[in-house]
Coordinates of all heavy atoms in Angstrom, one line a residue:
Chain H
A299 N 6.6 -35.6 5.1 CA 7.1 -34.8 4.0 C 8.5 -34.3 4.3 O 9.3 -34.3 3.4 CB 6.1 -33.7 3.7
H300 N 8.7 -33.8 5.5 CA 10.0 -33.2 5.8 C 11.1 -34.2 5.9 O 12.2 -34.0 5.7 CB 9.9 -32.4 7.1 CG 9.4 -31.0 6.9 ND1 10.2 -30.0 6.4 CD2 8.2 -30.4 7.2 CE1 9.5 -28.9 6.3 NE2 8.3 -29.1 6.8
R301 N 10.7 -35.5 6.3 CA 11.6 -36.5 6.4 C 12.3 -36.8 5.1 O 13.5 -37.2 5.1 CB 10.9 -37.8 6.9 CG 11.8 -38.9 7.4 CD 10.9 -39.9 8.1 NE 10.0 -40.6 7.2 CZ 10.0 -42.0 7.1 NH1 10.7 -42.7 8.0 NH2 9.2 -42.6 6.3
A302 N 11.6 -36.6 4.0 CA 12.2 -36.8 2.7 C 13.2 -35.7 2.3 O 13.8 -35.8 1.2 CB 11.1 -36.9 1.7
L303 N 13.3 -34.7 3.1 CA 14.1 -33.5 2.7 C 15.5 -33.5 3.5 O 16.2 -32.5 3.4 CB 13.4 -32.2 3.0 CG 12.0 -32.1 2.3 CD1 11.3 -30.8 2.7 CD2 12.0 -32.3 0.8
M304 N 15.8 -34.6 4.2 CA 16.9 -34.5 5.1 C 18.3 -34.5 4.4 O 19.3 -34.1 4.9 CB 16.9 -35.6 6.1 CG 15.8 -35.3 7.2 SD 15.5 -36.7 8.3 CE 17.2 -36.9 9.0
R305 N 18.3 -35.1 3.2 CA 19.6 -35.3 2.5 C 19.5 -34.9 1.0 O 18.5 -35.2 0.4 CB 20.1 -36.7 2.6 CG 20.5 -37.1 4.1 CD 20.8 -38.6 4.2 NE 21.0 -39.0 5.5 CZ 20.0 -39.3 6.3 NH1 18.8 -39.4 5.9 NH2 20.2 -39.7 7.6
T306 N 20.6 -34.4 0.5 CA 20.7 -34.2 -1.0 C 21.4 -35.4 -1.5 O 22.0 -36.2 -0.7 CB 21.5 -32.9 -1.3 OG1 22.8 -33.1 -0.9 CG2 20.9 -31.7 -0.7
P307 N 21.6 -35.6 -2.8 CA 22.4 -36.7 -3.4 C 23.8 -36.7 -2.8 O 24.4 -37.7 -2.6 CB 22.4 -36.4 -4.9 CG 21.1 -35.7 -5.1 CD 20.8 -34.9 -3.9
R308 N 24.3 -35.4 -2.5 CA 25.7 -35.4 -2.0 C 25.8 -35.8 -0.5 O 26.9 -36.0 -0.1 CB 26.2 -33.9 -2.1 CG 26.4 -33.5 -3.5 CD 26.7 -32.0 -3.5 NE 27.0 -31.5 -4.9 CZ 26.4 -30.3 -5.3 NH1 25.7 -29.6 -4.5 NH2 26.7 -29.9 -6.5
S309 N 24.7 -35.9 0.2 CA 24.9 -36.3 1.6 C 24.2 -37.6 1.9 O 24.0 -38.0 3.1 CB 24.3 -35.2 2.6 OG 23.0 -34.9 2.2
Q310 N 23.9 -38.4 0.9 CA 23.4 -39.7 1.1 C 24.3 -40.6 1.9 O 25.5 -40.5 1.7 CB 23.1 -40.4 -0.3 CG 21.9 -39.8 -1.1 CD 20.6 -39.8 -0.3 OE1 20.3 -40.7 0.5 NE2 19.8 -38.8 -0.6
G311 N 23.8 -41.4 2.8 CA 24.6 -42.2 3.6 C 25.3 -41.6 4.8 O 26.0 -42.2 5.6
K312 N 25.2 -40.2 4.9 CA 25.8 -39.5 6.0 C 24.8 -39.4 7.1 O 23.5 -39.5 6.9 CB 26.1 -38.1 5.5 CG 27.2 -38.1 4.4 CD 28.6 -38.4 5.1 CE 29.7 -38.3 4.0 NZ 31.0 -38.6 4.6
P313 N 25.2 -39.2 8.3 CA 24.3 -39.0 9.4 C 23.5 -37.7 9.3 O 23.9 -36.8 8.6 CB 25.2 -38.9 10.7 CG 26.6 -38.6 10.2 CD 26.6 -39.1 8.8
P314 N 22.3 -37.6 9.9 CA 21.5 -36.4 9.8 C 22.3 -35.2 10.2 O 23.1 -35.3 11.1 CB 20.4 -36.7 10.8 CG 20.3 -38.2 11.0 CD 21.7 -38.7 10.7
G315 N 22.1 -34.1 9.6 CA 22.8 -32.9 10.0 C 24.0 -32.6 9.2 O 24.4 -31.4 9.0
W316 N 24.7 -33.6 8.6 CA 26.0 -33.4 7.9 C 25.6 -32.8 6.5 O 24.7 -33.4 5.8 CB 26.7 -34.7 7.7 CG 28.1 -34.5 7.1 CD1 29.3 -34.4 7.7 CD2 28.3 -34.6 5.6 NE1 30.3 -34.3 6.7 CE2 29.7 -34.4 5.5 CE3 27.5 -34.7 4.5 CZ2 30.4 -34.3 4.2 CZ3 28.2 -34.7 3.2 CH2 29.6 -34.5 3.1
V317 N 26.2 -31.7 6.1 CA 25.9 -31.1 4.8 C 27.2 -31.0 3.9 O 28.2 -30.7 4.5 CB 25.2 -29.8 5.0 CG1 26.1 -28.8 5.7 CG2 24.7 -29.2 3.7
A318 N 27.0 -31.2 2.6 CA 28.2 -31.2 1.7 C 28.5 -29.7 1.5 O 27.6 -28.9 1.3 CB 27.8 -31.9 0.4
A319 N 29.8 -29.4 1.5 CA 30.3 -28.0 1.2 C 29.7 -27.5 -0.1 O 29.4 -26.3 -0.2 CB 31.8 -27.9 1.3
A320 N 29.6 -28.4 -1.1 CA 29.1 -28.0 -2.4 C 27.7 -27.5 -2.3 O 27.3 -26.5 -3.0 CB 29.3 -29.1 -3.4
D321 N 26.9 -28.1 -1.5 CA 25.5 -27.7 -1.3 C 25.4 -26.3 -0.6 O 24.5 -25.5 -1.0 CB 24.7 -28.7 -0.5 CG 24.4 -30.0 -1.4 OD1 24.2 -29.8 -2.6 OD2 24.3 -31.1 -0.8
V322 N 26.3 -26.1 0.3 CA 26.3 -24.8 1.0 C 26.7 -23.7 0.0 O 26.1 -22.7 -0.1 CB 27.3 -24.8 2.2 CG1 27.4 -23.4 2.8 CG2 27.0 -25.9 3.2
Q323 N 27.8 -24.1 -0.8 CA 28.3 -23.1 -1.8 C 27.2 -22.8 -2.9 O 27.0 -21.7 -3.3 CB 29.5 -23.7 -2.5 CG 30.2 -22.6 -3.4 CD 30.7 -21.4 -2.6 OE1 31.4 -21.6 -1.6 NE2 30.3 -20.2 -3.0
D324 N 26.4 -23.8 -3.3 CA 25.3 -23.6 -4.2 C 24.3 -22.6 -3.7 O 23.8 -21.7 -4.4 CB 24.6 -24.9 -4.5 CG 25.4 -25.8 -5.5 OD1 26.5 -25.3 -6.0 OD2 25.0 -26.9 -5.8
T325 N 24.0 -22.8 -2.4 CA 23.0 -21.9 -1.7 C 23.6 -20.5 -1.7 O 22.9 -19.5 -2.0 CB 22.7 -22.4 -0.3 OG1 22.2 -23.8 -0.4 CG2 21.7 -21.6 0.3
I326 N 24.9 -20.4 -1.3 CA 25.5 -19.0 -1.3 C 25.4 -18.4 -2.6 O 25.0 -17.2 -2.7 CB 27.0 -19.1 -0.8 CG1 27.1 -19.6 0.6 CG2 27.7 -17.8 -1.0 CD1 28.5 -19.9 1.1
N327 N 25.7 -19.1 -3.7 CA 25.7 -18.5 -5.0 C 24.3 -18.1 -5.4 O 24.1 -17.0 -6.0 CB 26.2 -19.6 -6.1 CG 27.6 -19.9 -5.9 OD1 28.3 -19.2 -5.1 ND2 28.1 -21.0 -6.5
L328 N 23.3 -18.9 -5.1 CA 21.9 -18.6 -5.4 C 21.4 -17.4 -4.7 O 20.8 -16.5 -5.3 CB 21.0 -19.8 -5.0 CG 19.7 -20.1 -5.7 CD1 19.9 -20.1 -7.2 CD2 19.1 -21.4 -5.2
L329 N 21.8 -17.3 -3.4 CA 21.4 -16.1 -2.6 C 22.1 -14.8 -3.1 O 21.6 -13.7 -3.1 CB 21.6 -16.3 -1.1 CG 20.8 -17.4 -0.5 CD1 21.1 -17.6 1.0 CD2 19.3 -17.1 -0.6
A330 N 23.4 -15.0 -3.5 CA 24.1 -13.9 -4.0 C 23.5 -13.3 -5.3 O 23.4 -12.1 -5.5 CB 25.6 -14.3 -4.3
D331 N 23.0 -14.2 -6.1 CA 22.4 -13.8 -7.4 C 21.0 -13.2 -7.2 O 20.6 -12.4 -8.0 CB 22.3 -15.0 -8.4 CG 23.7 -15.4 -8.8 OD1 24.7 -14.6 -8.6 OD2 23.8 -16.5 -9.4
N332 N 20.3 -13.6 -6.2 CA 18.9 -13.3 -6.1 C 18.5 -12.6 -4.8 O 17.4 -12.0 -4.8 CB 18.0 -14.6 -6.2 CG 18.3 -15.3 -7.5 OD1 17.8 -14.8 -8.5 ND2 19.0 -16.4 -7.5
A333 N 19.2 -12.7 -3.8 CA 18.7 -12.2 -2.5 C 19.7 -11.2 -1.8 O 19.7 -11.1 -0.6 CB 18.4 -13.4 -1.6
E334 N 20.4 -10.4 -2.6 CA 21.3 -9.4 -2.1 C 22.2 -9.9 -1.0 O 22.5 -9.2 -0.1 CB 20.4 -8.2 -1.5 CG 19.6 -7.5 -2.6 CD 18.7 -6.4 -2.0 OE1 19.2 -5.8 -1.0 OE2 17.6 -6.3 -2.5
L335 N 22.7 -11.1 -1.2 CA 23.7 -11.6 -0.2 C 25.1 -11.3 -0.9 O 25.3 -11.6 -2.0 CB 23.6 -13.1 0.0 CG 24.6 -13.8 0.9 CD1 23.9 -14.8 1.7 CD2 25.7 -14.4 0.1
S336 N 25.9 -10.5 -0.1 CA 27.3 -10.3 -0.6 C 28.2 -11.3 0.1 O 28.4 -11.1 1.3 CB 27.7 -8.8 -0.4 OG 26.6 -8.0 -0.2
P337 N 28.6 -12.3 -0.6 CA 29.4 -13.4 0.0 C 30.6 -12.8 0.7 O 31.3 -12.0 0.2 CB 29.7 -14.3 -1.1 CG 28.9 -14.0 -2.2 CD 28.5 -12.5 -2.1
K338 N 30.9 -13.4 1.9 CA 32.2 -13.0 2.5 C 32.6 -14.2 3.3 O 31.8 -15.0 3.9 CB 32.0 -11.8 3.4 CG 31.0 -12.0 4.5 CD 31.2 -10.9 5.6 CE 30.9 -11.5 6.9 NZ 31.0 -10.6 8.0
G339 N 33.9 -14.4 3.4 CA 34.5 -15.5 4.1 C 34.3 -16.9 3.5 O 33.8 -17.0 2.3
A340 N 34.6 -17.9 4.2 CA 34.6 -19.3 3.7 C 33.3 -20.0 4.0 O 32.5 -19.5 4.8 CB 35.7 -20.1 4.3
V341 N 33.0 -21.1 3.4 CA 31.8 -21.9 3.6 C 31.7 -22.2 5.1 O 30.6 -22.1 5.7 CB 31.9 -23.2 2.9 CG1 30.9 -24.2 3.4 CG2 31.7 -23.0 1.4
N342 N 32.8 -22.4 5.8 CA 32.8 -22.7 7.3 C 32.3 -21.6 8.1 O 31.9 -21.8 9.2 CB 34.2 -23.1 7.7 CG 34.3 -24.6 7.8 OD1 33.3 -25.3 7.6 ND2 35.5 -25.1 8.1
D343 N 32.3 -20.3 7.6 CA 31.8 -19.2 8.3 C 30.3 -19.2 8.4 O 29.7 -18.5 9.2 CB 32.3 -17.9 7.8 CG 33.8 -17.7 7.9 OD1 34.3 -18.3 8.9 OD2 34.4 -17.1 7.1
Y344 N 29.7 -19.9 7.4 CA 28.2 -20.0 7.4 C 27.7 -21.2 8.1 O 26.8 -21.2 8.9 CB 27.8 -20.0 5.9 CG 28.1 -18.7 5.1 CD1 29.3 -18.6 4.5 CD2 27.1 -17.7 5.1 CE1 29.5 -17.5 3.7 CE2 27.4 -16.6 4.3 CZ 28.6 -16.5 3.7 OH 28.9 -15.3 2.9
V345 N 28.3 -22.4 7.6 CA 27.8 -23.7 8.1 C 29.0 -24.5 8.4 O 30.0 -24.5 7.6 CB 27.0 -24.4 7.0 CG1 26.5 -25.7 7.5 CG2 25.8 -23.5 6.6
T346 N 29.0 -25.2 9.5 CA 30.1 -26.1 9.8 C 29.6 -27.5 10.2 O 28.6 -27.6 10.9 CB 31.1 -25.6 10.9 OG1 32.1 -26.5 11.2 CG2 30.3 -25.2 12.2
N347 N 30.3 -28.6 9.8 CA 30.0 -29.9 10.2 C 30.9 -30.3 11.4 O 30.7 -31.4 11.9 CB 30.3 -30.9 9.1 CG 29.3 -30.8 8.0 OD1 28.1 -30.5 8.2 ND2 29.7 -30.9 6.7
E348 N 31.8 -29.4 11.8 CA 32.9 -29.9 12.7 C 32.4 -30.3 14.1 O 33.1 -31.1 14.8 CB 33.9 -28.7 12.9 CG 34.9 -28.6 11.7 CD 35.6 -27.3 11.7 OE1 35.6 -26.6 12.8 OE2 36.1 -27.0 10.6
L349 N 31.2 -29.8 14.5 CA 30.8 -30.1 15.9 C 29.8 -31.3 15.9 O 29.4 -31.7 17.0 CB 30.2 -28.9 16.5 CG 31.2 -27.7 16.6 CD1 30.5 -26.4 16.6 CD2 31.9 -27.9 17.9
L350 N 29.5 -31.8 14.7 CA 28.7 -33.0 14.7 C 29.4 -34.2 15.2 O 30.6 -34.3 15.0 CB 28.2 -33.2 13.2 CG 27.1 -32.2 12.7 CD1 27.1 -32.3 11.2 CD2 25.8 -32.5 13.3
P351 N 28.7 -35.2 15.7 CA 29.4 -36.4 16.2 C 30.1 -37.1 15.0 O 29.6 -37.2 13.9 CB 28.3 -37.3 16.7 CG 27.0 -36.7 16.2 CD 27.3 -35.3 15.9

Side-chain angles (χ1 to χ4, degrees):
Chain H
H300 275 285
R301 196 166 69 128
L303 307 179
M304 285 173 59
R305 295 174 187 84
T306 67
R308 289 171 180 137
S309 53
Q310 289 303 326
K312 296 284 183 183
W316 186 94
V317 61
D321 284 329
V322 180
Q323 190 61 53
D324 283 355
T325 303
I326 294 175
N327 296 345
L328 206 53
L329 295 177
D331 291 345
N332 299 288
E334 295 178 36
L335 177 144
S336 337
K338 59 163 216 183
V341 165
N342 260 355
D343 293 331
Y344 296 88
V345 180
T346 175
N347 290 322
E348 279 164 21
L349 296 151
L350 287 163

